[in-house]
Amino acid sequence: AKKFLENDVYSDHQETLYCGAKFNNNKQVTFPNGFHTTKYIKRSKKIEWEHVVPAENFGRSFSEWRDGHKLCFNSKGKAFKGRKCAEKVNLEYRYMQSDMFNLYPAIGAVNALRSNYNFTMLPGIKSDFGSCAMKIDSRKAEPPEIARGQIARTYLYMDEAYKRYSMSKSQRQLMNAWDKMYPVNAWECNRAKKITSIQKSENNVVKKRCKVVGIW
């Protein structure tokens, strides 16, 4: 999935979701003016593919993630569970994890610090990244305005596409609000078309919004 995204989806739009940083074919990042980070310095130099809806949010619905599986043993005979086990033995989980509609390029340090935290509003909190207005505090994250529409429609898509995943009431309210406040643009619609042609599945949430504004 990551190779398809790099080569076929983002080849003409090499820009990260949260900070709008440019990157090249080797995934090396050019920081926007004023961007800085004090953590994960090495990871900050390259883009990583971020699950906007964290894999843990849907992964925990799989028994292999929670409890392990008889096939999940390492070379020393030690049992393991979590993402690695779900990935190894459950095809449905692999489809969800590799769904390109939920994968976006992010500066490695931003991906690392966002972790699996839910999105919310964090008034009064300063950004951890200088000019990039991504805020992270108390195991919560507030994305910059430029990313909120795409994030919202990604959450709404995952909720619609997979019965195993459902948002909390408060998360749904926030995503519905961001969806209305930050409408689709030409790139988001083009991205969805490209992914559909590769993945052979539709993102009906984005497609409907694109049709309404006449860019589908």
Side-chain angles (χ1 to χ4, degrees), residues 52-70:
V52 161
V53 177
E56 185 176 4
N57 285 22
F58 52 82
R60 287 196 171 280
S61 68
F62 291 88
S63 62
E64 296 88 352
W65 185 298
R66 298 189 308 271
D67 309 316
H69 186 275
K70 63 183 180 182

Side-chain angles (χ1 to χ4, degrees), residues 115-212:
S115 185
N116 59 357
Y117 303 157
N118 283 332
F119 290 115
T120 188
M121 297 302 292
L122 294 170
I125 301 297
K126 282 190 172 183
S127 167
D128 292 85
F129 306 103
S131 61
C132 174
M134 180 74 163
K135 301 177 185 178
I136 299 166
D137 186 69
S138 302
R139 299 183 63 81
K140 299 286 183 184
E142 179 191 308
E145 287 192 41
I146 59 165
R148 289 176 193 168
Q150 286 192 76
I151 288 168
R153 286 178 284 279
T154 301
Y155 269 80
L156 293 168
Y157 159 76
M158 291 293 285
D159 187 72
E160 181 183 281
Y162 297 103
K163 290 178 181 176
R164 280 186 175 272
Y165 175 68
S166 60
M167 287 185 277
S168 67
K169 186 179 177 182
S170 60
Q171 192 85 143
R172 186 183 301 279
Q173 287 175 334
L174 180 64
M175 295 309 163
N176 282 331
W178 283 356
D179 177 32
K180 291 181 176 70
M181 290 168 68
Y182 306 100
V184 291
N185 59 25
W187 158 245
E188 188 177 350
C189 298
N190 192 33
R191 175 184 181 273
K193 287 178 184 177
K194 287 183 173 185
I195 291 173
T196 291
S197 72
I198 300 164
Q199 195 166 279
K200 309 302 180 190
S201 63
E202 296 271 15
N203 184 329
N204 289 317
V205 173
V206 171
K207 188 174 181 177
K208 284 176 189 171
R209 309 302 188 271
C210 296
K211 282 186 169 181
V212 167

Side-chain angles (χ1 to χ4, degrees), residues 22 30 42-43 67 72 99 152 170 177 201:
K22 303 294 184 186
T30 300
K42 191 173 181 181
R43 283 177 70 175
D67 309 316
C72 292
D99 191 321
S170 60
S201 63

